[in-house]
Every structure is written in structure tokens, then in C-alpha cells.
Amino acid sequence: MKLSASKVFLVLLIPFSTAFSTEYKHDFKTVPNDPYNVLQYTLSNGLQVYLSVNKDEPRVSTNIAVRTGSKNDPAEFTGLAHYLEHMLFKGTSKMGSLNWEKEKPLLEEISRKYELYRKTNDEAKRKAIYAKIDSLSNEASKFVATNEYDQMVSALGARGVNAYTSLERTVYISDIPTIEMEKWMMVESERFKELTLRLFHTELEAVFEEFNRTQDSDNRQAYYALLEALFPNHTYGTQSTIGTGEHLKNPSMVAIHNYFDKYYVPNNVAIILVGDLDPDKTIDLIEKHFGSWKKGETPAQYKNPGQPEIKAPIVKEVTGTEAEFSILAYRVNGIDSEDAMMADLVSSVLSNGEAGLIDQNLNTTQKVLRAYAYANSYKDYSMLTLGVTPREGQTLEEANALMLGQIDQLKKGKFDEQLLKSIILNEKKSQMRQAEYNNWKASTIIDGFIYDKPWTYYANYYDEMAKISKGRVVSWANKNLKDNYVLVNKRQGARDPLRLEKPAITAVQINRGTNSSFRDKWEKTPSQRATPHFVDYSKDIQRAQAFSNLELFYVPNKTNQLFQLNYIFDMGSRNDQELALAIEYLPYLGTSKYTIDEIKRKFYDLGLDYSVYAGDDRVYVTLSGLNESLTEGTKLFEELLANVKADVESYTKLIDGKLKKRTNAKLDKNSILYRGMMNYAIYGKNSPQTDILSEEELRAINPEDLASKIKGLKNYKHKVFYYGPSAQADVLELIRKEHPVKLELKDYPERRKYDYTAQNENVVYFVNYDQVQTELMMLSRGENFNKANMAAADVFNQYFGSGLSSIVFQEIRESKALAYSAYSVYTTPSRMDEAHFVRAYIGAQSDKLGAAVNAMQELMTTMPREESQFQQALIGAMKQVETNPITKASIYWSYQSTLDRGMTENPTANMYAEMQKMKMDDLQKFFDTNIKGQNYTYLVVGKKENLDMEALNKLGTVRELTLEEIFGY
């Protein structure tokens, strides 16, 4: 479904009809046949409320959306909306303040100093002013209960606490237990009514780090170039969400307050709640806590200045370290025009993953490494965007020509009318699937509010799209898709990115164990607790023998008419590398009866998806989609698996593409760190990353042998798992009829094992990579899986190293402003024969790395003991268990995970029992045993000339690794 913040938004020029529910005491606006069953309500102060009930789990996805974003940033203060988003986590004059009378004048003086600072050009004077800001900030920090907002919502059992800013929206998100709704509202209503810019300069430094991270992203830089060319007269293109470096270095607290006062008014805000809620009680609570929020003047809408017509292709060039790619976009009219829906539909005709023109003509035929299309719609304009990654030896110009060729095919009508019907069918299927997930529903609802669209537009969206004919699509394409596009070529090459230097910041005080009077009062409000439900695999999974040697695991879907049918083999690439290659080959093959395009189209027309995936230890053969197509789809699926037809040309292209992806991985910092270096650190030279088929081995393989492996797959021992609305007896009958197996099934090939490296000393592995930031990871191996560690690890991660209110985040980012991202976790392996690891991460500027690592090492040696923060983490962890029952298909996957760890019963009940009696001393013992005093392998990715190698040498023996060493090719 494309109705999300990152995808298209919709327009239907039809009258808005409203039905009023008689089920509730409140007059909710509803829309007939709404797939999300949204209830709309508006308070007298203009605050809009959208509710959608989902009783699957006792939690609610909470979203507070403000109808403003970087589009509305003042031209002289770009990045303001985004920075304001950061500051809303700092509290108010009540929340987070230990002594407002003393703190307030200091914050006012800091604000005055910033005004002076940004108006001063002399660098020496600026440094002196900043030193005063730093000094005042330290004094003010003495009166702050740091991270109080985060600590309170964490204590509620919240998860996913965050926020985001984009062109036209700022949204604050979390997921909370239903029973804590009122306490959540107490906190949120307080922080949205007042802005307090405390701990300003340390948070600004975190935004500096975020800015530097964008400088290292080739994708981000290419997208910026695209928007600049598409919208030269509009803030979509003239200013980015992160802002310019110059503006970030010269902030104005006065301007931020003015912006807050203008846009953060209830009549410009919506509360979107999706989950297990009582609509009437929820509105009563919102009225109680948000009803007194004073209505403001409705902000004036941005005046679109219009854009110059694009009469010929505009081509931009961007360089960077990552693999080459191109993106291309057409600019059409915005959300209040028919262009938005047309662009959405056209993007699916081009690229829907299976049967679009790009899918069949470029991806399935492997003429490029990857190509795609999607649509975005905003208030003023929409974009139809295409992208392509070239194959080895293919220029960007050649790949671009192939991509543009699909636009020509579209304009010539080289697709059938049935494709449009299938697109609607599959989009409704996706809508049904996403309706199961609270966050997905909330995302679409947010769109409706941000663009001020009556909800009927969204509820009826695909019904209206279904009325669009092929002729209308072709006509629209010929009218709008000419040589009026912007093309950005992202080539490999040096780039001289702007780097925001680290200012001189003195660590601010962290006042652990101290609460504001607001929090003390808040904590007197009774906190509710739920009774946890622990899945019982013996009762919640039904088992039956399809055959004497084939077991069916069955979990009913009581939510909708979707299913998934899985054939599961307990062997993967570690058992048979050629089998894994065969699985990779299958999506490019047809059968003796159908071509690959025909078979993909058949699945798509039925509203089905099929996938075959080979992991390290398991192969999954999966069919999913509309249950009404289960029988026909299973027959087709079995036809594909039994009669797959090898194709030499497709195999040659597959290997060429596979080798190109290997080359591209060596250009990607995430692949370097998380695949290459981590495997090298854990296993040494012989790792799952390096133990791969060589180019010579790959090219020597006979494609017919790979086809035979697919055909013979079901001759191995395996099991079947079905989740869906069909009765178990009907599924059994289907499996017996369509999936017969031999009386004797084969055992799996032996699983290859890799030895862990000895960690007898501290070692530093370094890879030179051209980027502004430096990334460092610390790894230390613990014992093999020990279920006794699971509860303590969960609480430790929440208390110490993971999340906004954790010790690590507070110390390294909040207090010292040494990193944008920092965490430390104790991992739990997925298999009983694998080890726990301590993993810590820092993403920081090169000149701050030494100080950041020192801070992390100090924490990893001496765990700060703060009883109140520990209790908050402990209660939060227990509430997570209490309100996150294992349901639906996850029941089976949880069972499989439990078996992999050598257990037969769900361990959550035992974990919960351990948490109930856990003390700080227990956590200290866990820390002393598993964290403190360990030898670490340090993995560092960064630009060598910017690094403090002396600081690295203090960590341990430094060794620079080559990409060939860590990737094995």
C-alpha cells in the first residue's frame, strides 16, 4: 500500500459524506466501508483526534502530528522544525525542572548570548561568547532532571519512542500499554503546551552529528540534488529538513520559540491513536488533559510561488564513495489534483514488484542490477520517481536509457487492462495486511490530517482508482511524461563534504535520582498493570500429520482473509551453498509450461506473493496472499517447484549481477562494518562471509544442476506451517493432494561450523573509508547461549545501553555531546550453539572519537548505580512482557526460535518471574560477570587522515584490514 509518509498521498475530487455513529456517546465522524474504521472527533480548541480500534494486543500506537515541517522553516533559519522536534523531549518549566526560578534566568541569558553569537563575525569574539554559553549551560544543568520525559514514558512500558520531521509534518510517536493511556496523556499534554529550550547546546551538537551523517550518505545527497532541480523556487528544493551548516552553527532560540508559538497550537495538531482502546473513554481523557490547551491563530498556509516549466531534461551529477546509481523524477501537480492518484497508479504499472513494465522488462530479465518506480505526493506538488543501479560494465547512461525506455512503453500502452485490475487487487490485499499493524494504519491517518483531506478520500481510495481506464493512464502519461524530468547521476568519485566542527563543550551535569515536582505528582497517579499472557505452544499451535513423515503446524487467522503457507527445511547455506544459489536463481526461472513473466503474472493476478529464501541454517518456501486463491496458488506453486526450467543466459546474468553486488558491498560502509568486519572479528579469516563460492566456482556450475536441486527440494525432511482462515482439515486435504512426498525423505547435509577467534587481548581493526564521521564498534564474546541470562540481559539493555533514557545515551550524548548515536547491548544468540556478545557502538566525528571511546570504556568498567532508574527500567521491561503477547503467525515463529535455543517451552514466563524478584545487586552481578573486565575487539571505519591513531593505539594493537581480507574476494 502506498498511502504512507514516504509514498504517495491521494486525491479524489468527490463530495465528503459523513456518517455519525450511534454506538458511542460522542459524535464521531465515520466513513461507510472504511477499511480502517476511523473515528474522527474535534475538540472545541480545534485539536483533531483520529481513533482506530485494534484489539489484537493491549497496546496503542500513539502519534501526535503537527501540520508543519521544513517547508515552513524561515529562510534564515533552515533546519528549525527538525531541531525543535529534538527539543520537545527536554521538558517544560514543570517537567524536567528542579528549580525553575533559578533555571529560567539562565536560559534567558543563554538565549541572549546566542543572538549575540549569530550576529558576531569575529571568530575570536564568537569563541568567547560560546565559552560563556557553555558556562551558563553547565550552571543551568544543575537545575535539570535530565531525560525526565524519556524516563517517564519508559516506565509506562513504552516502546519505539521517537519523532521525525519531513517537508510538511512533524510527528511524535510511541507505542504504549492501553492501561497507561491517562499517564501518557498527562506527560504529552504538558510538553506540547510549553517549550523550554534547556540543554540546548549539547542537543545542537547532536544535530551537528546528524548533519555530518547526511554528508556521508550518497543517497541523501543525490535526493537533495533532485529536489533542488525540481523545485528551484519552492522550499521543497531550496531548503533541506536538516538545514544548512551555516544556519545550524548560528541558531536562534528566539526564532525557535516564535516558530513553536505559531505552529504548535491545538488547531494545527492531531492526536492519532490506533490500538486497543475504548473510543468514548479515550475522548474523555483527551478532553480532560488537552481540552485546556489554548487555541491559537491558524497558521497561514505556505504560498506556492510556482516553478519554471521544465522544457528539457535537467541532468545533475553527484559523486561519492558508494556504488553508482541514477534517480529520475517528473514533477506534477500536488495532493489536491488528479495527478497524485495518477502518479500512484502509473508507478505501479511501471513497478509493482512482480508484473510491472520495469519488473518484467528490466529486473526479471536482469538487464540492470535493480530498477524501481514510486510516487510521492505533497501539498503543492507530486513526484513520479524512477531509479536504476547499473550492472558491471554498464554505464549510467546505458542504464538510464533502459529506464526511460519503460516510460516509452507506458506511453505506447504496452500493458493490458487486466494489469490495472490486478494492481487494485494487490493494493487492497496490502491494505488488508497493513491494517493488522497499528503503526501502518496510523501512518495513513497522519497523511489525511497533514493534507487536510476528508477521510472518505482515503477510505474509498482504491475503489476510485479502480475506475481509471487504461486509456486514461496512457493519455495522462503522454501529457505529463515528456522530456520534462530531472535526472541525477550518482557517480563514484571524491566529494568534499561540509563538516561541522566540534565546538568546545564541557560535559553538563546529569542529576540522576532527582525528580521534578511534576514527576512526583505524576507518580502519585496509580500506574496500571496488566496480567501477562504466555503462549502455550501445545495449545496454541495445532499439529497434524499430513503424511507419516510430514507434519503440518496450524495457527488460525481470526483477523482477516489472508494466509501464509510455508515449507520449512532445517538446512541453509551452511549446509549446501549450491542449494542457496539455486534458491537465488529461482526468481528468474519459469517452467516447461510457463515463462517467468507468465508465472509471476499469474501469481500477481491471484493476489498472491511467493518467495523462496535460504538463510544460514534454514530454507523457507513461502506462498502468501488472499486465502480465496489458496488452492489455485498452491497448485501453481507446486508446478513451479516441480517443473522449474533452467536457463543458461539467466544464470550467466545472475552470476554477473552477484559479482557486481559483491563489488558494491565493498563500497558500502554498513556492509563493511556489519558484514565484513564483524564476521572477521568474530571468526577470523575463515568466516561465513569469506567462505563463499568463488567466481570460478560459480561460473563452473551447471544451471541444470541448480534446477534439479529445486525440483528435489521436497525430497528432504521438512515441515509445513499454515497461518490463515481455512480450517485445519481443509489445509490438510490440500497438502495431501498438492504436496505429496516420498515415503523416505533425505537427511540434511552436515552444517559447516566456524570457530570463534580467541579474545586474549584488546585488538583494533581499522578500515579506511572516506566519510565525515567515524564509526566504532566494540565486541566481546561471552559464553554460549544461556537461558539464565535472558531476563537480566533484557533489563540490562533497557537500563544501561539501549534507548533514550539509558545510562549510555545520557552520558555520551546528553551530557557530553560526543556522538549522535551510542548504545551498548548484551545480545542473545538465536541458536544454542552460538555465543552471547557484548556490543557497543559509537557514531561520532573523528576528533571526538577518543573522548567518546574513553567515556564508553569508563561506563563498561564501572556501571553507574541509580536505583530509581533501575526500577524504571525493570518496570518498563515487565510491562513490555505484560502487554506484548505472542499472537497470530508469531506463535509458530516463536516456537521455532525456542527450539533453536534448545528449549521446548516459551521462556518468557520464567523471564518474567525472574524480573519480579530482580534487584540492583542482581544487575550488578550480571554486569561484573559479563561486561566488566572483558577483552574487546574494536572495529573502526573512518577516514584515516582524520583519525587520532594515537588514541586508537591506546585501545590495543592496531591493524588496518583490507577489504579483500574481510570480504574474502
Side-chain angles (χ1 to χ4, degrees):
M1 181 179 181
K2 299 186 178 181
L3 304 179
S4 70
S6 61
K7 298 296 282 182
V8 73
F9 311 117
L10 51 118
V11 166
L12 300 175
L13 300 178
I14 58 176
F16 175 58
S17 60
T18 301
F20 290 91
S21 171
T22 58
E23 299 178 25
Y24 306 107
K25 70 177 184 181
H26 293 287
D27 290 331
F28 290 110
K29 291 182 180 180
T30 63
V31 173
N33 304 314
D34 177 8
Y36 288 174
N37 295 313
V38 172
L39 305 174
Q40 295 175 258
Y41 187 86
T42 304
L43 274 62
S44 59
N45 60 7
L47 178 67
Q48 294 188 46
V49 181
Y50 297 78
L51 306 178
S52 180
V53 179
N54 178 9
K55 296 288 186 179
D56 285 346
E57 61 177 6
R59 298 187 68 89
V60 177
S61 174
T62 74
N63 302 261
I64 300 181
V66 187
R67 197 181 278 152
T68 189
S70 56
K71 166 184 174 179
N72 300 315
D73 283 345
E76 67 275 22
F77 296 116
T78 60
L80 189 153
H82 171 249
Y83 187 47
L84 172 57
E85 168 222 307
H86 280 242
M87 295 310 300
L88 241 70
F89 289 85
K90 303 301 181 182
T92 66
S93 61
K94 298 176 183 177
M95 184 201 308
S97 184
L98 301 177
N99 189 325
W100 181 240
E101 288 71 23
K102 292 185 177 180
E103 184 188 11
K104 180 182 179 182
L106 291 168
L107 298 183
E108 291 173 345
E109 181 60 20
I110 291 169
S111 178
R112 287 191 289 270
K113 292 297 182 187
Y114 265 114
E115 291 304 302
L116 180 61
Y117 181 75
R118 70 184 185 85
K119 296 174 182 177
T120 301
N121 295 320
D122 183 271
E123 197 57 40
K125 291 180 179 179
R126 282 173 61 86
K127 286 184 178 180
I129 297 168
Y130 196 88
K132 185 61 177 177
I133 290 172
D134 183 63
S135 175
L136 289 165
S137 299
N138 271 271
E139 183 64 23
S141 71
K142 297 175 182 178
F143 310 111
V144 177
T146 315
N147 280 100
E148 192 162 75
Y149 168 82
D150 303 307
Q151 291 174 27
M152 286 191 287
V153 294
S154 294
L156 297 178
R159 65 188 184 197
V161 179
N162 214 326
Y164 65 90
T165 305
S166 58
L167 297 179
E168 294 171 313
R169 70 187 69 196
T170 307
V171 184
Y172 300 82
I173 58 178
S174 66
D175 186 290
I176 63 168
T178 300
I179 52 180
E180 294 289 26
M181 185 80 78
E182 179 159 21
K183 293 192 75 171
W184 172 80
M185 288 191 192
M186 291 171 67
V187 174
E188 296 296 344
S189 61
E190 170 64 20
R191 76 161 170 158
F192 273 85
K193 291 175 185 174
E194 179 186 81
L195 176 65
T196 299
L197 298 179
R198 61 167 58 97
L199 303 177
F200 186 86
H201 79 318
T202 52
E203 191 64 31
L204 182 60
E205 173 60 10
V207 176
F208 281 15
E209 291 281 7
E210 191 172 357
F211 176 89
N212 287 335
R213 291 172 80 89
T214 69
Q215 297 298 296
D216 289 331
S217 170
D218 288 1
N219 280 289
R220 189 74 66 92
Q221 296 303 314
Y223 195 65
Y224 288 162
L226 184 76
L227 293 179
E228 288 169 4
L230 279 173
F231 308 111
N233 297 339
H234 195 290
T235 52
Y236 290 165
T238 59
Q239 52 196 49
S240 66
T241 300
I242 194 69
T244 68
E246 190 62 28
H247 291 167
L248 289 177
K249 289 189 295 183
N250 295 281
S252 168
M253 294 170 71
V254 173
I256 294 175
H257 272 288
N258 291 339
Y259 189 99
F260 177 85
D261 292 341
K262 180 178 182 179
Y263 291 103
Y264 281 64
V265 290
N267 43 310
N268 197 48
V269 175
I271 297 177
I272 298 97
L273 303 175
V274 182
D276 181 15
L277 50 84
D278 179 307
D280 278 328
K281 291 181 180 178
T282 300
I283 293 299
D284 288 343
L285 288 174
I286 292 174
E287 289 275 16
K288 176 181 176 181
H289 295 287
F290 290 90
S292 63
W293 191 3
K294 188 176 180 181
K295 185 175 184 177
E297 184 178 337
T298 301
Q301 289 197 8
Y302 175 86
K303 293 183 179 179
N304 182 3
Q307 302 302 303
E309 182 182 356
I310 301 175
K311 298 181 179 180
I314 299 172
V315 181
K316 298 290 183 180
E317 302 286 326
V318 172
T319 58
T321 55
E322 298 170 16
E324 293 189 341
F325 63 86
S326 293
I327 51 174
L328 175 153
Y330 296 90
R331 184 187 72 212
V332 293
N333 293 316
I335 198 73
D336 292 323
S337 74
E338 70 164 8
D339 287 349
M341 180 178 284
M342 293 301 300
D344 183 10
L345 180 56
V346 164
S347 75
S348 291
V349 173
L350 289 167
S351 173
N352 54 56
E354 299 295 339
L357 293 171
I358 287 175
D359 302 315
Q360 294 198 340
N361 297 335
L362 299 186
N363 290 332
T364 301
T365 57
Q366 303 182 80
K367 291 181 179 177
V368 297
L369 199 62
R370 175 177 176 254
Y372 58 87
Y374 64 89
N376 290 94
S377 286
Y378 305 108
K379 190 67 177 176
D380 298 328
Y381 294 100
S382 301
M383 297 162 56
L384 175 66
T385 304
L386 289 76
V388 66
T389 303
R391 297 179 64 83
E392 182 65 36
Q394 186 178 55
T395 66
L396 283 178
E397 286 73 19
E398 291 168 338
N400 293 338
L402 290 169
M403 179 170 61
L404 284 165
Q406 305 318 301
I407 296 292
D408 290 338
Q409 294 292 299
L410 171 75
K411 292 161 70 173
K412 292 175 182 176
K414 299 294 186 178
F415 61 95
D416 57 46
E417 193 90 36
Q418 177 59 40
L419 178 61
L420 300 183
K421 296 178 182 178
S422 296
I423 287 170
I424 302 302
L425 178 71
N426 280 275
E427 292 293 1
K428 287 189 172 183
K429 174 197 68 179
S430 296
Q431 186 181 59
M432 192 187 307
R433 180 176 291 154
Q434 291 167 4
E436 296 184 58
Y437 301 98
N438 294 341
N439 59 331
W440 274 104
K441 280 201 282 190
S443 177
T444 302
I445 295 169
I446 290 167
D447 292 347
F449 165 70
I450 293 299
Y451 297 115
D452 198 18
K453 304 297 293 182
W455 183 246
T456 189
Y457 288 5
Y458 293 83
N460 299 330
Y461 185 66
Y462 292 117
D463 291 332
E464 291 299 315
M465 184 182 279
K467 299 175 183 178
I468 299 174
S469 67
K470 175 184 174 180
R472 187 175 165 194
V473 169
V474 173
S475 175
W476 184 89
N478 279 280
K479 176 183 177 182
N480 292 282
L481 310 182
K482 301 176 183 178
D483 285 339
N484 56 336
Y485 59 81
V486 172
L487 172 67
V488 178
N489 294 314
K490 206 299 297 181
R491 303 185 191 274
Q492 272 192 281
R495 186 169 74 232
D496 185 20
L498 174 64
R499 173 185 174 189
L500 294 183
E501 298 293 340
K502 174 181 75 72
I505 291 179
T506 306
V508 299
Q509 189 166 316
I510 298 291
N511 301 305
R512 293 198 184 92
T514 54
N515 295 342
S516 68
S517 57
F518 176 89
R519 182 173 182 180
D520 287 338
K521 181 180 178 180
W522 178 82
E523 288 185 341
K524 290 177 182 177
T525 301
S527 190
Q528 305 297 313
R529 299 293 290 273
T531 301
H533 169 75
F534 302 114
V535 64
D536 184 338
Y537 299 133
S538 64
K539 295 179 181 179
D540 296 327
I541 301 175
Q542 300 175 37
R543 303 168 69 158
Q545 294 298 133
F547 301 99
S548 61
N549 56 356
L550 182 66
E551 190 169 18
L552 169 68
F553 295 81
Y554 171 91
V555 176
N557 178 1
K558 301 177 182 179
T559 303
N560 54 38
Q561 291 299 307
L562 299 178
F563 80 94
Q564 55 176 263
L565 179 67
N566 303 271
Y567 303 153
I568 303 165
F569 301 80
D570 290 326
M571 63 174 175
S573 59
R574 289 196 182 189
N575 303 81
D576 187 341
Q577 290 185 329
E578 289 192 11
L579 172 62
L581 181 63
I583 297 301
E584 196 176 346
Y585 185 32
L586 179 59
Y588 303 102
L589 301 179
T591 69
S592 53
K593 187 177 180 180
Y594 301 112
T595 67
I596 180 59
D597 285 344
E598 289 172 338
I599 204 162
K600 285 196 170 190
R601 180 63 186 272
K602 282 182 174 293
F603 280 116
Y604 192 72
D605 288 348
L606 290 169
L608 298 174
D609 303 296
Y610 76 90
S611 65
V612 186
Y613 171 72
D616 286 347
D617 306 304
R618 196 165 280 127
V619 167
Y620 303 90
V621 180
T622 303
L623 179 70
S624 63
L626 299 172
N627 201 68
E628 64 189 51
S629 301
L630 172 63
T631 299
E632 190 173 352
T634 302
K635 291 178 181 179
L636 187 61
F637 203 29
E638 292 289 339
E639 157 72 19
L640 173 62
L641 296 174
N643 298 300
V644 65
K645 184 178 180 181
D647 181 88
V648 174
E649 182 181 1
S650 291
Y651 180 71
T652 300
K653 289 181 177 179
L654 174 71
I655 299 310
D656 290 343
K658 189 176 183 68
L659 295 173
K660 175 62 172 174
K661 290 176 183 177
R662 288 182 179 180
T663 300
N664 289 353
K666 293 165 71 174
L667 303 174
D668 179 73
K669 66 177 181 179
N670 291 319
S671 294
I672 291 170
L673 179 59
Y674 291 100
R675 284 173 49 190
M677 296 184 76
M678 279 188 64
N679 272 281
Y680 191 91
I682 293 170
Y683 301 105
K685 292 181 179 180
N686 185 35
S687 75
Q689 174 61 51
T690 58
D691 184 16
I692 56 177
L693 295 170
S694 67
E695 179 178 356
E696 292 72 23
E697 291 171 319
L698 290 169
R699 296 200 184 280
I701 291 173
N702 186 342
E704 293 289 349
D705 293 338
L706 298 182
S708 295
K709 281 185 177 290
I710 295 170
K711 293 175 184 178
L713 188 58
K714 75 174 186 178
N715 295 329
Y716 284 95
K717 293 178 178 178
H718 61 285
K719 50 205 167 191
V720 180
F721 167 51
Y722 170 86
Y723 170 72
S726 291
Q728 183 188 31
D730 294 338
V731 180
L732 269 174
E733 182 181 353
L734 177 67
I735 296 301
R736 287 168 178 164
K737 181 179 180 181
E738 303 297 342
H739 189 73
V741 296
K742 294 182 177 180
L743 290 176
E744 294 292 332
L745 294 178
K746 297 194 296 186
D747 289 324
Y748 302 128
E750 184 178 355
R751 179 176 180 265
R752 290 194 306 284
K753 295 183 178 179
Y754 303 93
D755 296 327
Y756 290 126
T757 57
Q759 282 194 296
N760 300 322
E761 61 177 350
N762 291 338
V763 179
V764 180
Y765 292 134
F766 168 69
V767 169
N768 186 26
Y769 187 85
D770 188 7
Q771 62 179 6
V772 174
Q773 284 221 321
T774 297
E775 296 179 80
L776 178 142
M777 183 172 290
M778 299 167 60
L779 280 177
S780 181
R781 188 180 73 253
E783 62 184 325
N784 276 9
F785 172 70
N786 182 353
K787 65 180 181 182
N789 283 339
M790 294 179 75
D794 197 14
V795 177
F796 170 79
N797 290 341
Q798 188 148 331
Y799 168 74
F800 183 80
S802 179
L804 301 180
S805 60
S806 67
I807 297 290
V808 166
F809 190 87
Q810 286 182 357
E811 287 287 339
I812 294 180
R813 175 164 156 170
E814 293 290 292
S815 173
K816 301 180 175 69
L818 292 173
Y820 174 72
S821 179
Y823 66 80
S824 175
V825 295
Y826 186 81
T827 69
T828 298
S830 58
R831 291 176 56 95
M832 62 184 297
D833 59 351
E834 294 176 346
H836 295 269
F837 277 85
V838 182
R839 192 170 77 202
Y841 170 86
I842 298 169
Q845 292 176 210
S846 301
D847 54 359
K848 294 195 290 187
L849 185 64
V853 174
N854 288 340
M856 181 70 82
Q857 285 181 316
E858 183 177 342
L859 292 172
M860 304 285 273
T861 302
T862 305
M863 182 182 74
R865 290 173 61 105
E866 176 45 55
E867 183 63 34
S868 63
Q869 196 162 335
F870 165 72
Q871 290 297 329
Q872 160 212 311
L874 180 61
I875 292 172
M878 287 193 288
K879 287 184 178 179
Q880 293 275 6
V881 175
E882 292 163 359
T883 58
N884 285 289
I886 298 170
T887 62
K888 302 182 180 180
S890 295
I891 294 172
Y892 174 79
W893 301 120
S894 170
Y895 169 68
Q896 183 65 67
S897 176
T898 299
L899 294 180
D900 289 345
R901 290 171 172 153
M903 302 176 287
T904 56
E905 294 183 357
N906 176 23
T908 313
N910 287 333
M911 290 174 59
Y912 185 73
E914 290 179 32
M915 290 176 185
Q916 287 180 306
K917 57 187 179 182
M918 191 177 294
K919 307 294 183 186
M920 173 60 88
D921 287 344
D922 298 316
L923 195 65
Q924 184 70 61
K925 182 178 179 181
F926 173 84
F927 178 88
D928 292 342
T929 302
N930 299 286
I931 313 296
K932 182 179 181 179
Q934 305 298 314
N935 290 322
Y936 285 96
T937 300
Y938 296 84
L939 310 177
V940 182
V941 180
K943 194 170 184 178
K944 189 172 183 178
E945 64 186 65
N946 294 335
L947 277 175
D948 183 350
M949 298 305 291
E950 184 178 342
L952 293 185
N953 278 302
K954 291 179 181 178
L955 301 177
T957 304
V958 178
R959 182 181 164 202
E960 184 172 350
L961 298 175
T962 66
L963 296 178
E964 288 71 24
E965 284 181 286
I966 62 174
F967 283 102
Y969 54 86

